[in-house]
Amino acid sequence: MKQHSTPSLDAPELRQARLAERLADGAALSATALAAELGVSVDTVRRDLARLEGAGLARRVRGGALPATPAAPLHQRRGEVPADLIRRAVAALAQAPTLILDGGTTLAALARALPPGPGRLVITPSPHIAAITHGRGIATVTIGGPVSASGGIATGSAAEAAFAGHHADMAILGACGLDPAFGLSSDDLAEAQVKRAMAGAAGAVAVLTGAAKIGRRARHRTLRPPEIDLIVTDAAAEATAPFAALGIALPAA
């Protein structure tokens, strides 16, 4: 997903065009994060989202909005991920030799930057990420099953059961929403269930996500806050402070 940093956009038409572009990319929008980014009030963002919903471009949910239509398949998205976010992730996660990697554009960017290293092994339900890590000379185990259109990961009972036969030092999960009270959440129920299996097969659980997902609650809870050990994000300290207060580690920039 695209991540943007913009000055205040005073004209509603300009703000709404920018938000419509993100929705077209399949991005979930957080009202709180957008207000801070765009230099406007949360109420202003909510009015923008209401206009977009009226135009058939958005579907408002608690804390923000989702695209009105399902996200494009993973391979069709313009997956620009901030280099600094991936740098933080590599620094925080690269020392764990065995990793479970979730799917999505942010995790794909991590896979492209992950150092191979001696003894490195990646276990993933994402065919796309498996191709990346295998192509970079990293030993890779792929979990099979019907592949979801949005996240591009194997789903279903067979995929969930397969994780019981593996153990990793850390599972790195993507987010549709990450809220300090609700926890990690997903828009797709089948993906949420596989992500829970991924977390259960690891000694520690990390969430890798951009600032736009912080404070948002997606449809299906994936993990409660106490089940998360580490969050790697480019969100501002004021947005991540509630997670730190819960004892969740947040690596410094």
Side-chain angles (χ1 to χ4, degrees):
M1 299 299 174
K2 288 185 175 180
Q3 302 290 331
H4 303 262
S5 178
T6 64
S8 175
L9 298 176
D10 293 329
E13 296 82 2
L14 293 178
R15 288 195 310 271
Q16 291 160 25
R18 184 66 56 85
L19 300 185
E21 178 185 349
R22 300 190 192 187
L23 289 164
D25 272 347
L29 303 182
S30 163
T32 302
L34 286 170
E37 175 188 339
L38 300 175
V40 297
S41 70
V42 172
D43 285 341
T44 295
V45 173
R46 287 173 178 155
R47 286 193 292 271
D48 289 338
L49 296 179
R51 286 290 185 91
L52 292 172
E53 185 176 50
L57 299 175
R59 177 171 59 82
R60 284 188 293 170
V61 296
R62 179 187 176 95
L66 300 174
T69 57
L74 184 64
H75 68 277
Q76 295 179 5
R77 297 183 209 160
R78 294 171 286 175
E80 296 180 12
V81 179
D84 182 62
L85 176 60
I86 299 305
R87 178 190 61 78
R88 294 187 195 188
V90 169
L93 310 171
Q95 298 307 310
T98 304
L99 298 172
I100 293 175
L101 294 187
D102 195 1
T105 54
T106 304
L107 270 293
L110 173 62
R112 294 186 190 100
L114 191 66
R120 168 78 69 210
L121 173 66
V122 166
I123 304 168
T124 180
S126 166
H128 181 57
I129 287 178
I132 294 171
T133 55
H134 178 73
R136 299 189 64 244
I138 298 173
T140 303
V141 173
T142 307
I143 302 298
V147 176
S148 63
S150 57
I153 62 173
T155 58
S157 58
E160 295 168 37
F163 277 107
H166 299 282
H167 178 77
D169 299 290
M170 183 172 289
I172 301 99
L173 306 181
C176 293
L178 185 60
D179 179 84
F182 192 68
L184 177 67
S185 52
S186 305
D187 291 321
D188 185 284
L189 179 59
E191 289 185 9
Q193 292 169 334
V194 171
K195 289 172 189 280
R196 282 196 288 270
M198 294 165 68
V205 176
V207 176
L208 174 61
T209 184
K213 307 296 177 64
I214 301 295
R216 179 179 176 268
R217 298 186 185 190
R219 295 174 178 175
H220 310 289
R221 179 187 280 127
T222 303
L223 297 174
R224 297 180 182 275
E227 298 174 292
I228 301 168
D229 300 290
L230 173 71
I231 296 172
V232 181
T233 183
D234 54 358
E238 61 186 26
T240 59
F243 298 99
L246 295 171
I248 298 173
L250 291 149

